[in-house]
Amino acid sequence: MASASSLFSSFALFLVMLMVQRSSAQYPAMTLTVVNNCPFTVWPAIQPNSGHDVLERGGFALPTVTHRSFPAPTQHWSGRIWARTGCTYANGRFSCATGDCGGRLECGGLGGAAPATLAQITLHHGGQQDLTSYGVSLVDGFNVGMTVTPHEGKGRCPVVGCRENLLATCPDVLQLRAPAGGGQVVGCKSGCQAFGTDELCCRNMYNSPRTCRGSSYSEFFKHACPATFTYAHDSPSLTHECAAPRELKVIFCH
């Protein structure tokens, strides 16, 4: 007859094996598609959150009215996607007017320079429910319109984002202008980027849901695009519980 200690050891080993199996669970195939409906080339960039894989080397060029599809990770993944605009290669250096990731075509996990519209995505969470969460953030400002659209998901799977061209209405104090080409507006900064105060950046004593509040600058973004995040502790009503979509589209200039 097995001893109590050996039974306990066998049970502990079983739990460990079960946890390993769950942590390595493979979810059904899913496609990520990035669509460029802008009347100009954009350079999409993808940054994973810490510990997650870099997808598509982190960046690529996408000509106007084209798309690029690639397999999504089959395990839990989270990160962000944005458009870089006004990119050039000159004097041996690649650089972008907005969203630049350290002068690299393939960002390789690096973040982008503000202002830039961000898609924030979390894939394969919620256990067997296989949920996909997504939102569009203007916390770091705006450079192009963007929506996120799931296809063939179960449950609440709305299209969310910002379809407006906020470059045309951006307040003077928030405008980022290109140094060349007549100084056209290429980005709309957040209040934090424009003025750098703790209050606008929700830093230090303002870094909590109680003290971090919207401002007249974040309200500009919120009024135009209410279903977006516009400051650090913003909580827009993006109610969705989208299970196992076959495809998730990030569309620039919807």
Side-chain angles (χ1 to χ4, degrees):
M1 184 175 181
S3 67
S5 60
S6 64
L7 286 173
F8 179 80
S9 297
S10 298
F11 181 66
L13 179 60
F14 168 76
L15 288 179
V16 169
M17 291 175 65
L18 184 63
M19 290 174 65
V20 169
Q21 288 175 354
R22 286 182 175 177
S23 67
S24 61
Q26 300 289 302
Y27 290 93
M30 177 181 175
T31 299
L32 287 174
T33 298
V34 182
V35 181
N36 179 19
N37 283 339
C38 301
F40 46 82
T41 297
V42 299
W43 287 258
I46 307 171
Q47 182 189 30
N49 289 345
S50 178
H52 294 255
D53 292 340
V54 175
L55 308 182
E56 299 298 289
R57 300 180 181 269
F60 48 89
L62 194 62
T64 180
V65 198
T66 62
H67 72 276
R68 180 162 172 168
S69 296
F70 47 92
T74 55
Q75 297 177 330
H76 175 63
W77 185 92
S78 62
R80 51 179 54 186
I81 299 175
W82 68 97
R84 293 170 289 170
T85 64
C87 300
T88 58
Y89 188 83
N91 301 319
R93 185 174 184 274
F94 179 83
S95 62
C96 300
T98 67
D100 190 85
C101 62
R104 299 171 61 171
L105 170 61
E106 298 174 341
C107 298
L110 295 179
T117 314
L118 299 175
Q120 298 177 322
I121 296 169
T122 301
L123 308 177
H124 307 310
H125 69 99
Q128 293 182 345
Q129 296 182 72
D130 189 14
L131 298 179
T132 291
S133 297
Y134 51 92
V136 171
S137 172
L138 305 180
V139 174
D140 290 334
F142 174 97
N143 63 343
V144 297
M146 174 193 286
T147 58
V148 181
T149 303
H151 290 278
E152 299 184 52
K154 302 176 183 67
R156 295 190 302 273
C157 301
V159 177
V160 301
C162 182
R163 299 171 185 259
E164 302 294 324
N165 177 18
L166 301 186
L167 300 185
T169 55
C170 183
D172 290 349
V173 293
L174 301 181
Q175 291 177 0
L176 174 68
R177 291 181 174 270
Q184 66 179 7
V185 179
V186 295
C188 192
K189 303 174 187 177
S190 66
C192 172
Q193 185 186 7
F195 301 101
T197 67
D198 283 355
E199 184 173 8
L200 290 174
C201 296
C202 292
R203 291 188 303 239
N204 298 323
M205 67 176 291
Y206 297 99
N207 186 20
S208 76
R210 183 178 60 83
T211 57
C212 174
R213 299 295 186 194
S215 66
S216 60
Y217 307 110
S218 67
E219 282 300 316
F220 162 73
F221 296 111
K222 181 65 75 176
H223 178 75
C225 301
T228 60
F229 295 85
T230 58
Y231 60 94
H233 288 279
D234 193 8
S235 54
S237 55
L238 303 178
T239 56
H240 59 270
E241 193 167 275
C242 191
R246 288 289 191 88
E247 182 181 28
L248 195 68
K249 284 185 177 178
V250 175
I251 304 175
F252 302 123
C253 301
H254 196 284

